[in-house]
Amino acid sequence: RSSDLYARVYEELLAIPVVKGRKTEKEKFAGGDYTTTVEAFISASGRAIQGATSHHLGQNFSKMFEIVFEDPKTPGEKQYAFQNSWGITTRTIGVLTMVHGDNMGLILPPRVACVQVIIIPCGITNTLSEEDKEALYKKCTEYLNRLRNVNIRTRADLRDNYSPGWKFNHWELKGVPIRLEVGPRDMKNSQFVAVKRDTGEKLTIAENEAEPKLKDLLETIHVNLYNRAAEDLKSHMVVANTMEEFQKELDSGKIVQIPFCGEIECEDWIKKTTARDQDLEPGAPSMGAKSLCIPFKPLCELQSGAKCVCNKNIAKFYTLFGRSY
């Protein structure tokens, strides 16, 4: 199933948990039979964002454009082709930026970061001899080659017209997962300092353990980013069975699974009823809640005879609603 492949991209590469499901009649691709989707959550704004969709078009478009094939079971007869449409786009970069980023800039998951480790020489002062400075740069280059040899994507920032502090800020902004700091004192002690971009934690590592320790650290960062985002999603996705509960949870920045009849008119009513005067973000338009998906694995089972939140129709399924980008 294409939604499983999408989920793997988000979870295994981007460290972003997603909710898999099917779009409602109102939100599905116009002209298609049905649409499946993966939805992510941005806790900073309390909004969901569509990760990627897959559309089953049935024979609707093949009939319009006369796309036919020879029926292998009945020679001489033609059948209209069944079609689908799916793919993942640069939207994923925006989702990644909003889910993991902080006030210092990007935080890139190690598996997709083009630079996984940035090496920065430190402790270069006016009293440091030219000989010691050259030895420090040589040590940085040595680390660079060692890490590249074990397929860790590494760069060394040896520019001498910028201070180490400026470089720290520069590479933090770019979201590089690990900063490797090495100074004259580190060289004497055969060690270096590794700084994790996701938590800011500093670790002193022995020079001869560089490769295995940094590989482990990259994996730890991925797991931490995923777990942090998963905890965010878990604590912000709730169930509500009445319109009052739904509105309250929505206004506290959550996405909500509600019993829903699936009718387009009902969905329009929900969107209009949940629109509010105050913006979630300065400059953002006020918006009501829209359906995000009918989850393949809802948080709880729909009780027989349960009413839709509109209180008019019988609910068909729990549907995830929320304010969305």
Side-chain angles (χ1 to χ4, degrees):
R1 195 190 282 160
S2 56
S3 56
D4 292 330
L5 296 176
Y6 291 153
R8 286 187 63 193
V9 170
Y10 272 98
E11 293 171 357
E12 295 175 23
L13 297 179
L14 307 180
I16 297 171
V18 290
V19 180
K20 293 184 282 187
R22 181 167 57 87
K23 287 289 189 184
T24 60
E25 278 301 301
K26 179 176 170 61
E27 291 295 326
K28 75 173 187 180
F29 180 74
D33 280 0
Y34 65 86
T35 294
T36 59
T37 182
V38 293
E39 303 283 327
F41 178 71
I42 315 297
S43 64
S45 62
R47 293 195 194 184
I49 185 164
Q50 182 179 287
T53 51
S54 172
H55 313 294
H56 187 278
L57 306 176
Q59 295 173 306
N60 301 337
F61 289 89
S62 63
K63 285 176 181 175
M64 271 196 281
F65 295 102
E66 288 290 322
I67 304 168
V68 296
F69 64 94
E70 292 281 348
D71 189 337
K73 292 177 182 174
T74 317
E77 277 196 24
K78 288 184 167 52
Q79 294 284 349
Y80 287 104
F82 285 84
Q83 295 175 290
N84 60 35
S85 166
W86 62 288
I88 206 161
T89 73
T90 48
R91 159 186 292 266
T92 50
I93 298 169
V95 178
L96 180 152
T97 303
M98 291 192 286
V99 169
H100 296 312
D102 62 12
N103 290 338
M104 293 192 293
L106 283 171
I107 297 180
L108 293 177
R111 294 175 190 175
V112 294
C114 55
V115 179
Q116 294 172 313
V117 177
I118 182 69
I119 300 166
I120 297 176
C122 301
I124 300 172
T125 61
N126 293 332
T127 57
L128 192 71
S129 69
E130 199 61 37
E131 188 181 336
D132 287 343
K133 185 179 172 183
E134 284 302 316
L136 180 58
Y137 281 178
K138 187 178 178 184
K139 177 57 70 178
C140 289
T141 306
E142 187 184 306
Y143 278 127
L144 176 70
N145 293 331
R146 279 175 60 186
L147 296 179
R148 282 182 172 176
N149 284 340
V150 292
N151 297 317
I152 296 175
R153 298 186 289 276
T154 311
R155 282 182 66 176
D157 191 341
L158 305 180
R159 294 175 290 179
D160 55 11
N161 56 332
Y162 291 109
S163 69
W166 189 95
K167 292 176 186 177
F168 292 173
N169 183 68
H170 176 77
W171 293 104
E172 278 172 358
L173 196 65
K174 290 179 178 287
V176 175
I178 297 173
R179 181 173 76 239
L180 190 158
E181 302 172 6
V182 57
R185 193 179 299 168
D186 294 314
M187 285 176 62
K188 283 176 188 171
N189 295 327
S190 299
Q191 65 183 35
F192 62 87
V193 174
V195 184
K196 293 166 64 184
R197 175 65 182 88
D198 59 328
T199 61
E201 181 187 0
K202 292 190 174 189
L203 302 163
T204 301
I205 297 172
E207 184 182 326
N208 62 353
E209 294 183 321
E211 295 91 340
K213 289 282 188 183
L214 289 176
K215 278 196 165 186
D216 288 347
L217 210 52
L218 288 168
E219 195 55 35
T220 302
I221 291 170
H222 176 92
V223 171
N224 179 57
L225 287 173
Y226 180 83
N227 288 344
R228 194 159 70 186
E231 189 53 43
D232 251 349
L233 176 62
K234 185 181 175 183
S235 61
H236 286 85
M237 183 165 62
V238 296
V239 173
N241 290 301
T242 67
M243 197 62 192
E244 293 71 29
E245 282 179 65
F246 175 34
Q247 184 80 58
K248 184 183 172 186
E249 297 290 8
L250 194 64
D251 288 345
S252 66
K254 293 177 180 173
I255 53 177
V256 191
Q257 293 189 17
I258 58 172
F260 179 53
C261 62
E263 298 297 326
I264 292 173
E265 295 78 11
C266 180
E267 190 163 338
D268 288 336
W269 174 80
I270 290 170
K271 188 169 187 177
K272 187 178 178 181
T273 306
T274 53
R276 57 184 211 175
D277 298 329
Q278 285 192 325
D279 296 335
L280 281 168
E281 296 172 349
S286 296
M287 59 167 65
K290 60 182 262 189
S291 68
L292 306 171
C293 71
I294 303 159
F296 293 140
K297 293 181 180 177
L299 290 174
C300 63
E301 204 173 310
L302 188 69
Q303 298 300 311
S304 177
K307 280 278 189 89
C308 172
V309 289
C310 70
N311 221 21
K312 292 177 185 175
N313 308 322
I314 295 294
K316 292 179 182 173
F317 28 64
Y318 271 103
T319 302
L320 183 62
F321 274 76
R323 293 192 169 97
S324 174
Y325 284 97

